Amino acid sequence: MSTLVCGSLAFDTIMVFQDRFKAHILPEQVHMLNVSFTVPEMRRDFGGCAGNIAYNLKLLGGNPVIAGTAGQDFTPYLEHIKQQGLDTHLIRILPDHYTAQAFITTDLDDNQITAFHPGAMFMAQENHLDGQIPSDVHWAIVSPDGLGAMIQHLEDLTRAGIPTLFDPGQGLPLFDAATLTRLIDMADYLTVNDYECQMVQARTGLSVAELRQRLKALIVTKGEQGSVIYHEDQETHIPAAKPKAVLDPTGCGDAYRAGLLYGLEHNLGWETSGKIASLMGAYKIETAGTQNHHFTWSEFKKRYQENFGSQIE
């Protein structure tokens, strides 16, 4: 059984400025801002929602198939993906574009200045799924990507009859009310964090109760407070797993979603699936970067029992 993971592929360049921005920016001169920061610390990570979700699902023993677009500079990322044993045949390389990438500079107060270049991501609607979906794909997720791609891929998956988890994430501001409502109606499951849940309600005018009526399940993550899964007439509350360290929260949501997909693949039920997802988030937050954490299945099962007092069913 395979899971189709649709979404962005990106490079994240993280730089640390060993001072404070406020010491170098004159508030009264921001209309003519011209500053340069020397950043002795830098790292480049593989990222993007599709890449992150697929990486985490593969760690759990799943068989994800990535559907996304990348650019002429994608070679090192492609090699990394292949080293993980991930299926790459639905990744389309656009030679006239760069891969999407974020350039993030952080100061000593944890303030950030970010520049994001969407590159090939905004051409992802050219990566059509009709007639391309492998016969062994039984589940799918549509995660943040170009607006046209998210719409097209969810439509393609609906026509193919594949149960789909919709994860609009940071792409939410791109949707108008009618389009967002239509996509929610097409999806089987919707996963958002608590802030995004408020955005969905404000944008669509639908309450949580009304969203639940349109979906097989609504999953809302709440950071340190865990998550809640609304399904049928039930609310399943999932506690947050305890991380051994808190180093980098970037990508925790993607790790959580991989856990949900693993649970759906194996028909584990919402409580077990949510707990697996919660523990995936804990593993991620312990490591800098979104695709640098590792574990064996025996290690994962041990930590699951330590956190939740039961074994994975």
Side-chain angles (χ1 to χ4, degrees), residues 227-271:
S227 56
V228 60
I229 301 174
Y230 302 95
H231 57 104
E232 299 173 340
D233 295 325
Q234 303 178 51
E235 294 182 18
T236 299
H237 293 264
I238 308 297
K242 296 178 181 178
K244 295 178 181 178
V246 178
L247 293 183
D248 181 5
T250 307
C252 285
D254 295 330
Y256 182 98
R257 282 145 181 77
L260 288 179
L261 289 168
Y262 180 85
L264 288 169
E265 283 182 354
H266 293 81
N267 195 29
L268 296 179
W270 284 114
E271 183 173 359

Side-chain angles (χ1 to χ4, degrees), residues 116-129:
F116 180 70
H117 173 65
M121 187 189 82
F122 268 11
M123 304 298 292
Q125 69 276 5
E126 296 186 6
N127 197 17
H128 298 281
L129 297 181

Side-chain angles (χ1 to χ4, degrees), residues 73-310:
D73 55 344
F74 192 61
T75 300
Y77 197 159
L78 185 60
E79 292 175 352
H80 163 74
I81 289 174
K82 289 181 176 179
Q83 287 173 0
Q84 311 310 313
L86 289 163
D87 190 315
T88 64
H89 84 278
L90 287 182
I91 296 176
R92 183 174 178 183
I93 307 298
L94 304 178
D96 294 332
H97 296 270
Y98 289 106
T99 302
Q101 42 204 296
F103 301 90
I104 305 167
T105 304
T106 303
D107 74 358
L108 295 181
D109 288 332
D110 288 330
N111 296 307
Q112 290 186 332
I113 297 175
T114 301
F116 180 70
H117 173 65
M121 187 189 82
F122 268 11
M123 304 298 292
Q125 69 276 5
E126 296 186 6
N127 197 17
H128 298 281
L129 297 181
D130 273 343
Q132 303 297 318
I133 302 173
S135 59
D136 65 341
V137 167
H138 290 192
W139 295 95
I141 183 169
V142 173
S143 63
D145 207 344
L147 174 61
M150 287 187 280
I151 296 170
Q152 178 192 295
H153 291 162
L154 192 46
E155 290 175 343
D156 291 345
L157 290 162
T158 300
R159 281 194 296 270
I162 296 174
T164 302
L165 187 69
F166 181 35
D167 169 26
Q170 62 262 40
L172 270 172
L174 301 174
F175 294 101
D176 60 39
T179 302
L180 182 58
T181 302
R182 182 169 68 88
L183 294 184
I184 289 171
D185 285 339
M186 282 194 289
D188 295 276
Y189 312 96
L190 176 67
T191 177
V192 287
N193 63 33
D194 50 355
Y195 179 75
E196 292 162 355
C197 187
Q198 295 295 323
M199 287 184 65
V200 169
Q201 292 177 77
R203 184 64 53 90
T204 64
L206 299 171
S207 66
V208 168
E210 290 170 323
L211 288 169
R212 293 176 64 174
Q213 293 175 355
R214 294 166 180 257
L215 296 157
K216 293 180 180 177
L218 169 64
I219 302 98
V220 182
T221 60
K222 300 184 176 186
E224 295 178 354
Q225 299 176 20
S227 56
V228 60
I229 301 174
Y230 302 95
H231 57 104
E232 299 173 340
D233 295 325
Q234 303 178 51
E235 294 182 18
T236 299
H237 293 264
I238 308 297
K242 296 178 181 178
K244 295 178 181 178
V246 178
L247 293 183
D248 181 5
T250 307
C252 285
D254 295 330
Y256 182 98
R257 282 145 181 77
L260 288 179
L261 289 168
Y262 180 85
L264 288 169
E265 283 182 354
H266 293 81
N267 195 29
L268 296 179
W270 284 114
E271 183 173 359
T272 300
S273 299
K275 289 176 179 178
I276 290 173
S278 178
L279 183 52
M280 288 299 295
Y283 267 108
K284 162 68 254 319
I285 206 171
E286 296 167 356
T287 306
T290 57
Q291 297 181 32
N292 297 321
H293 51 294
H294 306 276
F295 55 77
T296 65
W297 182 239
S298 60
E299 291 170 341
F300 189 88
K301 290 194 295 182
K302 181 180 178 181
R303 280 192 66 177
Y304 182 98
Q305 186 165 21
E306 290 171 352
N307 273 271
F308 306 115
S310 60

